[in-house]
Amino acid sequence: MDKRLHQGHLARKRFGQNFLHDGNIIDAIVSAIHPLPDQALVEIGPGLGALTEPVAERLTQLTVIELDRDLAARLATHPFMQSKLTILQQDAMTVDFAALAQQLGQPLRVFGNLPYNISTPLMFHLFSYTQAIRDMHFMLQKEVVNRLVAGPDSKAYGRLSVMAQYYCQIIPVLEVPPTSFRPAPKVDSAMVRLVPYSQLPHPVSDLQVLARITSQAFNQRRKTVRNSLGHLFTQAQLTELGIDPVMRAENITVAQYCHLANWLADHPSQQE
């Protein structure tokens, strides 16, 4: 029997499908999400409904985003859930979450078992809608969760850490072994909670500048910042801004990156 076959559905590699089947883990995830009847919950990638069913049981209405048309059709004819589900058969990267929150009349609670191949770009997409999102609960590759929560001076700390921590408070919830999925992935997974800040701790006037600085610093993470960011800041400017020029990208805090970005946004001639 094909190991990719689960509940009559053949897992599709191009969608990165791994279906959760461990009842204890599913219960723990639903408890962590703690859905309440009238909240606006949105599930990304419901798949075969392992999380969808227990969450929908607690709700009056649930929105799900499913790219795989076979799975979307299966959910649309589900005997218990079909009356509660609003199914968006599209790529989550194309969803306007602000418009969805407006339509549902409240901030969204987003959750899902995210395919490993799209988890990082999808989180960046969601970060642009944090004003419309109350919280997010995601099952991710454990390595991605480690990167989300990493602090400075660690190998896991990178651009994803800085950008995620700029927008959200991040709390690891539980670790999940490969055996909890079918087919079993080759990596460990973990669930994480991301709660967008109602007031940003380190507001940045131009997010594109922050994205540019973090990209350039971490793309050359072995270099000192006097080299990786030398075309944007002189050594004297870095020192004046509280950054030791011999530091590397991973030694600089989120607050310091935000300080650099705000200074650079105020000095547009430096960006040319």
Side-chain angles (χ1 to χ4, degrees):
M1 185 173 143
D2 193 322
K3 285 183 180 172
R4 292 175 302 147
L5 194 68
H6 184 52
Q7 293 182 13
H9 179 81
L10 195 65
R12 292 184 177 167
K13 226 173 185 176
R14 70 189 173 104
F15 293 151
Q17 291 174 344
N18 297 90
F19 300 111
L20 201 56
H21 72 91
D22 183 323
N24 292 330
I25 293 287
I26 290 165
D27 288 348
I29 291 169
V30 176
S31 296
I33 297 171
H34 191 57
L36 296 173
D38 295 320
Q39 293 177 336
L41 273 89
V42 178
E43 183 178 12
I44 296 174
L48 292 163
L51 291 175
T52 322
E53 288 188 28
V55 170
E57 272 175 24
R58 303 185 185 200
L59 300 175
T60 45
Q61 192 272 338
L62 172 62
T63 302
V64 298
I65 303 164
E66 178 54 69
L67 179 58
D68 186 322
R69 76 165 69 84
D70 293 344
L71 292 173
R74 191 169 166 149
L75 287 165
T77 56
H78 192 283
F80 312 115
M81 291 192 294
Q82 59 180 359
S83 60
K84 290 184 173 187
L85 296 183
T86 299
I87 302 165
L88 306 179
Q89 201 252 299
Q90 67 185 98
D91 184 341
M93 292 287 288
T94 66
V95 173
D96 180 338
F97 288 92
L100 189 55
Q102 198 169 10
Q103 192 184 322
L104 294 171
Q106 59 176 296
L108 308 174
R109 302 195 64 208
V110 184
F111 70 100
N113 171 22
L114 297 190
Y116 301 144
N117 53 350
I118 64 144
S119 59
T120 302
L122 181 54
M123 278 189 286
F124 275 102
H125 179 62
L126 286 158
F127 292 153
S128 63
Y129 294 106
T130 45
Q131 287 176 316
I133 293 172
R134 183 175 146 188
D135 60 17
M136 298 178 269
H137 290 84
F138 293 131
M139 178 79 71
L140 299 162
Q141 198 168 330
K142 188 178 165 188
E143 178 211 340
V144 177
V145 173
N146 290 345
R147 284 164 52 205
L148 284 169
V149 300
D153 305 319
S154 72
K155 280 192 174 135
Y157 183 69
R159 180 169 178 251
L160 179 62
S161 323
V162 175
M163 299 307 289
Q165 291 168 33
Y166 172 80
Y167 289 106
C168 301
Q169 183 188 6
I170 303 162
I171 307 117
V173 177
L174 77 159
E175 293 188 10
V176 184
T179 49
S180 298
F181 298 91
R182 287 203 184 107
K186 294 185 173 71
V187 292
D188 286 331
S189 303
M191 188 191 176
V192 67
R193 176 183 293 125
L194 298 101
V195 184
Y197 289 111
S198 49
Q199 280 191 301
L200 293 167
H202 311 292
V204 163
S205 57
D206 187 339
L207 282 163
Q208 285 183 317
V209 177
L210 179 63
R212 183 182 173 192
I213 291 172
T214 52
S215 285
Q216 292 178 357
F218 284 106
N219 284 347
Q220 306 172 74
R221 63 185 297 147
R222 298 175 79 103
K223 291 187 176 179
T224 60
V225 290
R226 108 180 131 202
N227 290 321
S228 61
L229 299 177
H231 59 302
L232 297 174
F233 305 91
T234 65
Q235 280 199 62
Q237 285 164 344
L238 285 168
T239 304
E240 206 173 302
L241 290 163
I243 308 292
D244 185 338
V246 300
M247 282 172 139
R248 290 183 167 79
E250 66 194 43
N251 308 126
I252 298 172
T253 66
V254 175
Q256 287 174 317
Y257 275 116
C258 294
H259 187 40
L260 288 174
N262 283 329
W263 186 89
L264 199 57
D266 290 341
H267 298 78
S269 60
Q270 291 275 132
Q271 296 183 53
E272 291 164 10

